[in-house]
C-alpha cells in the first residue's frame, strides 16, 4: 500500500444553528477520502451549492472542527497534533480561495502581500534573496515580477490575481493546495490558464491539489480523481474521466446531462444549470438523500443510506442500490 498524504476517515460535520427549534445541519456525513503521497495528484470535490464542499475545505484547513471522524496528514491526526506539528502542517497545506485578495487590504501592493508571507514563514534571506524568491514564484505561474509586484489588486485581472495567489501558495513550498472554487470568479476565457498552472505545479513541483468546484467541465480538464457530493455524502467517486463519461448515480447522471455537450465550435463556459435544491436537511434522516428527486427510487432506498458500491473493476464507486445487484450477481450464480 502506498503511503498516504491525506486521509479523511468518517468525517462528519454537524452545524448547530441557534434560535428556536435548534436546528442541526449535517454539512458532511461519514466522508472518506485518501490522497497518496506519490505521485502528486489533483483530487476534485464537486457538487452543487450547499453540498458541503467548503465545509470540507475548512475542516482540512483547521478553520472549523470535526463533529466526529479523523483527518490524518502525513500519518499525523491533526486533532492531536502538538504546536510544532500544527505549525508544520500550516506550511505544508496551503489554501487558494474563490476571491483572490479577498483577505488582503486593497491598499497593499502585490510585493507587500508576498513580504507578509515571507516574514510569516521566515522564507527570505536578505532583500535580494527575497526579491529573487518572489520573481521565481511568479515565473512558475507565468507572470513577471516587474509587471505585477508594484501593482495594486484593482490594477490586475481576476486571472492574474488568482495566479498570484497560486504563486504565493507555491512560495511556501507546500505538499498540498486546497483550492476552493479558484476559477469561478475568473473570466471564462482565463480559466484554462489557471487550471494549467495547477497541472504544472502538480507535474513539475509535486504539489497535490484538492480542487473544489461546482463545475464539472473544469474538473474534466484537470482532475485525476473526483468525488461528487450530494448533501454532504459521496454520491459517486473514481477516475474523473470515467465518472463523467459514464456516470452511474442517478444524481450524477442528471448533473452530467446538464453540462453542455462538448462541441468543437462552442467553448464550454463551465456554467451548469443545476436542478433545484430545496429539501431541508436534518440529522434525522434515514435512507438515500436523493430519494425524493430520483426517478429510479425503490422502497429499500428509504431504509438505509446506500453504501458505495464498486462499478467495474477499478475504484469507480457509486452510492446507489442500483449497483448492489451487480455485486451480488457472481455469488448468486455460483
Ligand atoms: P458548498 O461549499 O458545497 O456550497 P457548504 O459547505 O458551504 O457547501 O455548506 C454545506 C451546508 O452547511 C449548507 O446547508 C450550509 O447552509 C451549511 N453551513 C455551512 N456553514 C455553516 C455554518 N457556519 N453554520 C451553519 N450552517 C452552515
Ligand atoms: Mg462553497
Amino acid at each position: 500500500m502506498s503511503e498516504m498524504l491525506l486521509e479523511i476517515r468518517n468525517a462528519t460535520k454537524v452545524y448547530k444553528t441557534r434560535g428556536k427549534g435548534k436546528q442541526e445541519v449535517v454539512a458532511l456525513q461519514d466522508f472518506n477520502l485518501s490522497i497518496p503521497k506519490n505521485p502528486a495528484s489533483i483530487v476534485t470535490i464537486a457538487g452543487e451549492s450547499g453540498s458541503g464542499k467548503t465545509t470540507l475545505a475548512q475542516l482540512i484547513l483547521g478553520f472549523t472542527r470535526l463533529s466526529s471522524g479523523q483527518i490524518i496528514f502525513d500519518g499525523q491526526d491533526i486533532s492531536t497534533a502538538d504546536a510544532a506539528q500544527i505549525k508544520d502542517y500550516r506550511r505544508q497545506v496551503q489554501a487558494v480561495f474563490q476571491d483572490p485578495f479577498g483577505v488582503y487590504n486593497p491598499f497593499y501592493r502585490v510585493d507587500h502581500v508576498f513580504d507578509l508571507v515571507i516574514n510569516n514563514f521566515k522564507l527570505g534571506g536578505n532583500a535580494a534573496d527575497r526579491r529573487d524568491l518572489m520573481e521565481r514564484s511568479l515565473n512558475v505561474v507565468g507572470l513577471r515580477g516587474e509587471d505585477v509586484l508594484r501593482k495594486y489588486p484593482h490594477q490586475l485581472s481576476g486571472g492574474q490575481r488568482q495566479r498570484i495567489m497560486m504563486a504565493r501558495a507555491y512560495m511556501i513550498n507546500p505538499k498540498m493546495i486546497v483550492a476552493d472554487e479558484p476559477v469561478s470568479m475568473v473570466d471564462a476565457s482565463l480559466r484554462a490558464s489557471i487550471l494549467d498552472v495547477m497541472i504544472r505545479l502538480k507535474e513539475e513541483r509535486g504539489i497535490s491539489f484538492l480542487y473544489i468546484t461546482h463545475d464539472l467541465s473544469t474538473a474534466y480538464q484537470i482532475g485525476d480523481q473526483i468525488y461528487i457530493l450530494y448533501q454532504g455524502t459521496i454520491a459517486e467517486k473514481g477516475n474523473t474521466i470515467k465518472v463523467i463519461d459514464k456516470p452511474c448515480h442517478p444524481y450524477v447522471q442528471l448533473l452530467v446531462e446538464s453540462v453542455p455537450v462538448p462541441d468543437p465550435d462552442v467553448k464550454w463556459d463551465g456554467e451548469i444549470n443545476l436542478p433545484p435544491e430545496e429539501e431541508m436537511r436534518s440529522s434525522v434522516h434515514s435512507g438515500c438523500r436523493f430519494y425524493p428527486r430520483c426517478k429510479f427510487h425503490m422502497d429499500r432506498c428509504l431504509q438505509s443510506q446506500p453504501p458505495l458500491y464498486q462499478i467495474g473493476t477499478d475504484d469507480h464507486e457509486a452510492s446507489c442500490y442500483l449497483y448492489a445487484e451487480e455485486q451480488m450477481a457472481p455469488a448468486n450464480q455460483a
Side-chain angles (χ1 to χ4, degrees), residues 98-116:
Q98 179 172 16
D99 177 15
F101 279 86
V103 292
Y104 291 106
N105 184 324
F107 301 111
Y108 286 171
R109 295 179 204 258
V110 172
D111 56 1
H112 184 67
V113 169
F114 280 26
D115 271 331
L116 289 175

Side-chain angles (χ1 to χ4, degrees), residues 17-182:
T17 49
R18 268 174 270 164
K20 60 174 180 185
K22 271 199 198 159
Q23 285 200 330
E24 293 192 336
V25 176
V26 185
L28 201 64
Q29 186 175 338
D30 279 323
F31 179 84
N32 289 286
L33 167 146
S34 44
I35 302 180
K37 268 191 186 168
N38 288 302
S41 61
I42 299 178
V43 175
T44 298
I45 308 292
E48 62 195 299
S49 177
S51 58
K53 304 180 301 295
T54 294
T55 298
L56 176 65
Q58 305 248 319
L59 287 165
I60 294 170
L61 294 167
F63 297 159
T64 184
R65 280 183 164 272
L66 284 167
S67 303
S68 60
Q70 284 179 301
I71 296 176
I72 297 161
F73 185 81
D74 204 359
Q76 172 67 49
D77 184 331
I78 61 168
S79 70
T80 58
D82 63 28
Q85 287 166 327
I86 296 276
K87 200 172 164 207
D88 188 49
Y89 181 71
R90 293 211 180 283
R91 193 178 66 74
Q92 306 280 12
V93 180
Q94 289 302 313
V96 171
F97 299 108
Q98 179 172 16
D99 177 15
F101 279 86
V103 292
Y104 291 106
N105 184 324
F107 301 111
Y108 286 171
R109 295 179 204 258
V110 172
D111 56 1
H112 184 67
V113 169
F114 280 26
D115 271 331
L116 289 175
V117 173
I118 287 172
N119 290 338
N120 192 17
F121 291 94
K122 300 188 175 56
L123 304 173
N126 59 33
D129 294 338
R130 287 169 161 240
R131 178 77 190 190
D132 189 49
L133 180 60
M134 291 181 198
E135 299 266 359
R136 272 188 288 122
S137 305
L138 287 168
N139 289 343
V140 168
V141 302
L143 294 171
R144 286 171 0 143
E146 64 255 42
D147 293 343
V148 296
L149 280 169
R150 295 300 292 160
K151 295 223 163 118
Y152 291 100
H154 71 266
Q155 296 174 304
L156 301 162
S157 71
Q160 282 177 319
R161 289 204 290 261
Q162 204 54 294
R163 278 196 276 170
I164 288 166
M165 288 295 102
M166 291 282 175
R168 175 201 170 278
Y170 165 77
M171 199 158 74
I172 303 163
N173 194 22
K175 292 208 178 102
M176 193 169 103
I177 295 176
V178 176
D180 189 354
E181 308 261 14

Side-chain angles (χ1 to χ4, degrees), residues 4 31 68 78 162 199 215 253 261 283 308 327 330 333:
M4 290 298 160
F31 179 84
S68 60
I78 61 168
Q162 204 54 294
I199 293 170
D215 162 21
Q253 290 173 347
V261 179
S283 55
L308 284 164
Q327 282 205 331
Q333 282 161 8

